Amino acid sequence: MPRTADTASFKFNHTMIRIKDPEASLKFYTEVLGMDLITKNVKSDFTLYFLAFDNGDGDQPEEVRAKTRFTREGILELTHNHGTESDPDFKGYASGNAEPGRGFGHIAISVDDIDKACERFEKLGVQFKKRPNEGTMKHIAFILDPDGYWVEIVPGSLNV
Amino acid sequence: MPRTADTASFKFNHTMIRIKDPEASLKFYTEVLGMDLITKNVKSDFTLYFLAFDNGDGDQPEEVRAKTRFTREGILELTHNHGTESDPDFKGYASGNAEPGRGFGHIAISVDDIDKACERFEKLGVQFKKRPNEGTMKHIAFILDPDGYWVEIVPGSLNV
């Protein structure tokens, strides 16, 4: 239904997850999945990385694109608390899919051709939680990001 | 940068979180935040609810809108494992922001007028984690959804 005036401007802008190692995570989200690093915000103790799939604004200067980080949907915010990447005592983050810490489930990327996408992931050495031909949900896959968060790969044409 | 052909069709389609009680969560996400229930998928043990902010397609028949759930960005998927809402032994889900289970951080809604939005949330009895005038980040707020997940409220015009 059309929204009331109270919420007319609201957008589901971003989802934030914590990451251990920005080098590994940026490689995964930009090179494997093809997101752009829209902008980053470096603080003394932590850095925030804002990523999104290019919606045709890839040729714009970074300062223009950076302003879209709170005005569009589909942004992924990665929070890196400095030092976790080299701390031998850091135990890693919870994926949200097992106890303790069950709650968050996954993020999902929709793709045109899931078989082709998964073949490419295999070649790139991506870790799978579930391949399309495994389990009962034959039409989707789950891959793991560098922290072990689940990333669902789902065909845009899926209609179940 | 423009994407390669390999990832040209990829979209950040949805984020999934588990919920204890669909009645409470649907009320929060549709009435308080103004999202639409795009479609739901009822299975024997669980139900999936797909929500998103209306992008101008609110007048389309539900079966047309339902097909957008894997083709657009900004979808929120709520997973309800049947029975949790009335199970006295169910301990609730982890927000991701405290041990054990730290990892997931929050989802974020961008709004035109954060003061007006927060005044309305107060009137509706929404629980705040941080009001705009609290803490060091004066420009944003965090509210809590019925499961205790953090929902950031951020002005679309923010440029920090």
Side-chain angles (χ1 to χ4, degrees):
Chain A
M1 71 192 75
R3 287 185 273 168
T4 64
D6 287 330
T7 62
S9 74
F10 290 18
K11 286 178 187 164
F12 179 6
N13 170 246
H14 72 249
T15 295
M16 188 281 267
I17 54 176
R18 294 175 179 86
I19 58 165
K20 175 186 176 179
D21 180 353
E23 194 180 343
S25 293
L26 288 174
K27 191 175 166 70
F28 178 82
Y29 285 103
T30 63
E31 294 181 22
V32 176
L33 291 186
M35 296 180 104
D36 279 346
L37 178 62
I38 300 287
T39 189
K40 63 180 174 179
N41 195 343
V42 184
K43 303 288 192 184
S44 57
D45 296 340
F46 63 92
T47 299
L48 310 176
Y49 298 91
F50 293 86
L51 297 109
F53 286 110
D54 174 24
N55 279 349
D57 57 0
D59 294 332
Q60 292 188 328
E62 196 192 318
E63 61 270 25
V64 174
R65 223 153 22 104
K67 288 184 184 170
T68 68
R69 79 176 144 142
F70 295 122
T71 60
R72 57 165 285 181
E73 296 196 323
I75 301 262
L76 180 66
E77 178 185 1
L78 304 177
T79 295
H80 172 229
N81 291 306
H82 299 162
T84 50
E85 72 283 10
S86 57
D87 178 359
D89 294 330
F90 180 70
K91 292 185 172 60
Y93 290 117
S95 77
N97 292 301
E99 297 297 353
R102 198 155 176 259
F104 172 65
H106 58 259
I107 60 169
I109 309 297
S110 65
V111 306
D112 272 3
D113 186 330
I114 188 167
D115 293 326
K116 207 167 152 187
C118 287
E119 276 169 33
R120 180 172 162 273
F121 295 148
E122 294 276 9
K123 275 185 206 158
L124 293 172
V126 171
Q127 202 181 338
F128 278 77
K129 176 75 189 173
K130 186 194 105 57
R131 289 176 174 76
N133 61 355
E134 295 170 341
T136 54
M137 299 179 292
K138 299 295 182 199
H139 41 276
I140 63 169
F142 281 95
I143 59 176
L144 298 180
D145 94 340
D147 287 282
Y149 294 113
W150 295 17
V151 179
E152 181 180 352
I153 308 297
V154 57
S157 60
L158 186 64
N159 194 14
V160 292
Chain B
M1 71 192 76
R3 288 185 272 170
T4 64
D6 287 330
T7 62
S9 75
F10 290 16
K11 286 178 188 167
F12 179 6
N13 170 245
H14 73 249
T15 295
M16 187 280 266
I17 54 178
R18 295 176 179 85
I19 58 165
K20 174 185 178 180
D21 180 354
E23 193 180 343
S25 293
L26 289 173
K27 190 177 166 68
F28 178 81
Y29 286 103
T30 63
E31 294 181 22
V32 176
L33 290 186
M35 296 180 105
D36 279 346
L37 178 62
I38 300 287
T39 188
K40 63 180 175 179
N41 194 344
V42 184
K43 303 288 190 184
S44 56
D45 295 339
F46 63 91
T47 298
L48 311 176
Y49 297 91
F50 294 86
L51 297 108
F53 286 110
D54 173 24
N55 279 350
D57 58 358
D59 293 333
Q60 293 188 327
E62 196 191 317
E63 60 270 25
V64 176
R65 224 153 23 104
K67 287 184 185 172
T68 68
R69 79 176 145 142
F70 295 122
T71 61
R72 59 165 283 181
E73 296 196 323
I75 301 263
L76 180 66
E77 178 184 1
L78 304 177
T79 295
H80 173 230
N81 291 305
H82 298 163
T84 51
E85 73 283 9
S86 56
D87 177 359
D89 294 330
F90 180 71
K91 291 186 172 60
Y93 289 118
S95 76
N97 292 302
E99 296 297 353
R102 198 154 176 259
F104 171 65
H106 59 260
I107 61 169
I109 308 298
S110 65
V111 306
D112 273 2
D113 186 331
I114 188 168
D115 293 326
K116 207 168 151 186
C118 288
E119 275 170 33
R120 179 172 162 272
F121 294 147
E122 295 276 9
K123 275 185 204 156
L124 293 172
V126 171
Q127 202 181 338
F128 278 77
K129 175 76 186 171
K130 186 194 104 56
R131 289 175 175 78
N133 61 354
E134 294 170 342
T136 54
M137 298 179 292
K138 298 296 182 198
H139 40 275
I140 63 169
F142 281 96
I143 59 176
L144 298 180
D145 95 340
D147 286 281
Y149 294 114
W150 295 17
V151 179
E152 181 180 350
I153 308 299
V154 57
S157 59
L158 186 63
N159 193 15
V160 290

